[in-house]
Amino acid sequence: CISFIAFCLVASSGYLFNDLLDLEVDRNHPDKKTRPLAAGQISILYSKVLILVLLVIAVSIALLYVNIKFFIILSIYFLSTAFYSLYIKRKIIADILTLAILYTFRVIAGGFAVDLQLSVWLLAFSMFVFLSLAAVKRLAELVENASIGQKKSVGRSYEVTDIAIIEGVSLVSGYISVLVVVLHIFTEATQEYYSRPEILLGVCPIIVYWITRMILLAHRGQMHHDPILFSFRDNPSRLSAVLIILITIVAKVS
């Protein structure tokens, strides 16, 4: 819980830094213009001070209450987000790959925080599923641009003609993440840990449904810019999560 708080603080400082750089772009965006900084609800000076304060608190928590490995991954995460905001986010494909890596950093940080050795299966699944979601995020932006007759993304290097490619990246990455799950189910460790590991195969069609539906909604222009936030508010997504948890429990105890 302590490490979670620290990561939230450092992630928030990174988002504030990104919003400072995108201030003018966000002010001209139909949705992002309501963000506190773009809407003028908080000052630029206040934001700069807050970035430093959040960083200092996060670093202090990491060093005093967690461990050095967590502090290192936390530092790498912030530096990577800063580099992303300054440079990478304007580079096609490299931006969504970096987003997938940054999300996976959060999983690694959790492992470091509780001194848990992470499996290559978890990291592989994380990379592919997060790459899929990052592509969905870009897809939603491009579809919105197309709907208003805008040919290029503001502040990005994508064009509306790239929609088919981005959809393909999202679909392929999402389906590879499901393949990772299937292969993991038949590993020796999984076979020994679960009483009925074959039941875990029921998770796979649910993930396929969830990913495909997200992409379809994004294609129709019905997706929120952040697919993670959308999932928390979307009833079918929440039901999918509940079903996955139930299947996992049944596979363990039956």
Side-chain angles (χ1 to χ4, degrees), residues 92-110:
I92 58 173
I93 303 304
D95 64 328
I96 57 176
L97 281 170
T98 303
L99 286 175
I101 293 171
L102 289 173
Y103 282 125
T104 304
F105 272 176
R106 303 182 185 202
V107 178
I108 296 173

Side-chain angles (χ1 to χ4, degrees), residues 3-252:
S3 61
F4 176 79
I5 292 172
F7 215 103
C8 284
L9 295 176
V10 80
S12 296
S13 67
Y15 286 131
L16 266 175
F17 180 68
N18 184 72
D19 283 358
L20 275 174
L21 295 176
D22 283 350
L23 188 56
E24 293 304 318
V25 174
D26 288 350
R27 283 173 175 169
N28 295 311
H29 192 277
D31 296 323
K32 296 179 182 179
K33 66 181 180 182
T34 60
R35 290 178 175 179
L37 192 57
Q41 296 173 355
I42 57 176
S43 68
I44 294 177
L45 176 61
Y46 176 83
S47 301
K48 292 179 179 179
V49 172
L50 190 57
I51 289 172
L52 293 175
V53 171
L54 292 173
L55 275 177
V56 170
I57 296 175
V59 167
S60 300
I61 291 175
L63 287 173
L64 296 175
Y65 298 103
V66 192
N67 55 53
I68 190 65
K69 291 191 296 182
F70 179 77
F71 165 74
I72 291 172
I73 196 68
L74 202 66
S75 302
I76 294 174
Y77 176 85
F78 179 78
L79 292 175
S80 299
T81 57
F83 186 55
Y84 169 84
S85 298
L86 289 168
Y87 180 73
I88 298 179
K89 70 180 179 182
R90 297 175 183 85
K91 302 298 178 181
I92 58 173
I93 303 304
D95 64 328
I96 57 176
L97 281 170
T98 303
L99 286 175
I101 293 171
L102 289 173
Y103 282 125
T104 304
F105 272 176
R106 303 182 185 202
V107 178
I108 296 173
F112 284 169
V114 296
D115 199 23
L116 177 69
Q117 184 175 358
L118 300 175
S119 72
V120 66
W121 297 103
L122 176 60
L123 296 178
F125 173 80
S126 299
M127 269 300 300
F128 283 114
V129 78
F130 288 141
L131 178 58
S132 179
L133 294 177
V136 167
K137 182 181 176 73
R138 289 291 173 265
L139 175 61
E141 294 171 355
L142 288 172
V143 169
E144 182 183 54
N145 291 341
S147 68
I148 60 176
Q150 187 172 305
K151 294 183 178 180
K152 294 184 177 181
S153 294
V154 179
R156 301 288 188 272
S157 299
Y158 293 99
E159 301 178 2
V160 294
T161 53
D162 299 328
I163 286 177
I165 300 297
I166 300 302
E167 283 181 348
V169 170
S170 187
L171 277 170
V172 171
S173 300
Y175 292 166
I176 290 177
S177 72
V178 178
L179 177 60
V180 171
V181 174
V182 173
L183 295 175
H184 174 61
I185 290 171
F186 293 99
T187 60
E188 183 178 347
T190 305
Q191 294 290 314
E192 291 177 355
Y193 184 77
Y194 289 91
S195 302
R196 298 284 301 278
E198 67 276 8
I199 294 178
L200 292 173
L201 290 170
V203 167
C204 299
I206 297 176
I207 300 177
V208 169
Y209 161 78
W210 176 67
I211 290 172
T212 308
R213 180 175 175 272
M214 292 267 282
I215 296 170
L216 181 61
L217 292 177
H219 179 83
R220 292 178 175 179
Q222 300 173 5
M223 169 65 63
H224 189 279
H225 287 287
D226 187 338
I228 302 296
L229 181 59
F230 175 86
S231 297
F232 279 113
R233 296 174 174 176
D234 178 55
N235 287 331
S237 296
R238 289 186 286 201
L239 177 60
S240 297
V242 171
L243 289 175
I244 288 174
I245 293 171
L246 290 176
I247 289 172
T248 305
I249 294 173
V250 171
K252 175 65 177 174

